[in-house]
Amino acid sequence: MVGPAPADLVARREAASDSVVEVRGLVRDFDVSASWLHRTLSGEPRRVVKAVGGVSFDIRRGETLALVGESGSGKSTIAKMVVGLLPPTAGSIRIDGTDIWDPANAPKLRDLRRRFQMIFQDPFASLNPRWRVRDIIAEPLDVFGITRGRATRDRVGELLTTVKLTPEDGEKYPHQFSGGQRQRICIARALASEPEFLVCDEPTSALDVSVQAQILNLMRDLQDRLGLTYLFISHNLAVVRHMADRIGVLYLGGLAEVAPAKAMFRDPRHPYTRSLIDAIPDIDMTGRERTPITGEIPNPLDPPPGCTFHPRCPFARERCRREVPRAFAEASGALVACHGVEEGWVGQAPAGQKAV
């Protein structure tokens, strides 16, 4: 498995920053075993999927951290744990210094939950089809006791205007809107509680390309105006390039690389990151030798030993097959979990191949 950054390394690196979110050693396992009776009769062992394996990162106030990777890399699982929808198997998630999964902090969580919200991938599935839009957006206002009566109606109208809809749209039902408009409604609902931190789980993947650009521009505008902090989940590096300040690349539940967005696209360090960037259509790269990623992501029920990327890596050596790489910090500010980068031989192509 690609190893996480040691918690002390992340802590030292972020010590001087104003972090809203601090994730340390986050682990999530799913028990997918057959029933007890079936296992008893057949002698089958328990089967556990390690969806997230020791991930650590920080998100500074006002920045966008993007997590990218192929399907099955653990992106959405991390998102659900960060907003409190899914308990971690191990590790901690602190928002403004409060561990949201520590039972001792339960009395503080009601006030804290108002300060972080989530925008889901499918806007239609996340909206109640039986409710009018005004009631959907008003629900957080009522739950957190922010406004009542006439003030609630006025606030709903303001939120609809903020996301480029009209107050009259509040009388309609979700099915009367297009996909992009429904996502605007979801954003308005997320903003209703006046949060500081938003988790965006692939908020544009279900939308047309032209509508994606509108939603991304709206989110960036809202971030500038309201000082929001984003955790942006995506499988599309081309989208992330225009949104993120920093990018974390996930592979089979572990962070392969975390780096400032501009530095990552200028000089990707991990072989997996290089392969993902090479897959982006770009006219400026015409004629350049690319190294397309081959094979399929391994079965998480039976991950490869050592670095989990080694079966697909053109630079893999014997150490990669037996030893899990630990993340180390580079002078550029990137954290990279790769033996080849650490020892300096990742740029040396295997026999018969050109160097990346």
Side-chain angles (χ1 to χ4, degrees), residues 2-77:
V2 179
D8 60 339
L9 174 60
V10 176
R12 291 197 306 271
R13 185 172 177 269
E14 306 289 356
S17 69
D18 184 13
S19 296
V20 176
V21 181
E22 301 172 11
V23 174
R24 297 289 181 270
L26 196 62
V27 174
R28 175 64 201 197
D29 297 337
F30 291 98
D31 190 337
V32 295
S33 306
S35 67
W36 173 83
L37 179 60
H38 179 83
R39 287 187 284 111
T40 301
L41 294 176
S42 65
E44 290 184 9
R46 299 187 73 91
R47 306 179 72 194
V48 176
V49 173
K50 187 172 287 295
V52 179
V55 168
S56 298
F57 59 83
D58 284 25
I59 309 177
R60 306 182 189 100
R61 197 172 304 278
E63 82 163 347
T64 299
L65 172 69
L67 295 180
V68 300
E70 296 171 278
S71 296
S73 60
K75 305 184 300 297
S76 293
T77 302

Side-chain angles (χ1 to χ4, degrees), residues 81-102:
M81 288 191 285
V82 169
V83 295
L85 294 177
L86 190 66
T89 303
S92 65
I93 302 166
R94 294 181 178 273
I95 297 181
D96 276 344
T98 301
D99 188 339
I100 66 171
W101 288 106
D102 185 346

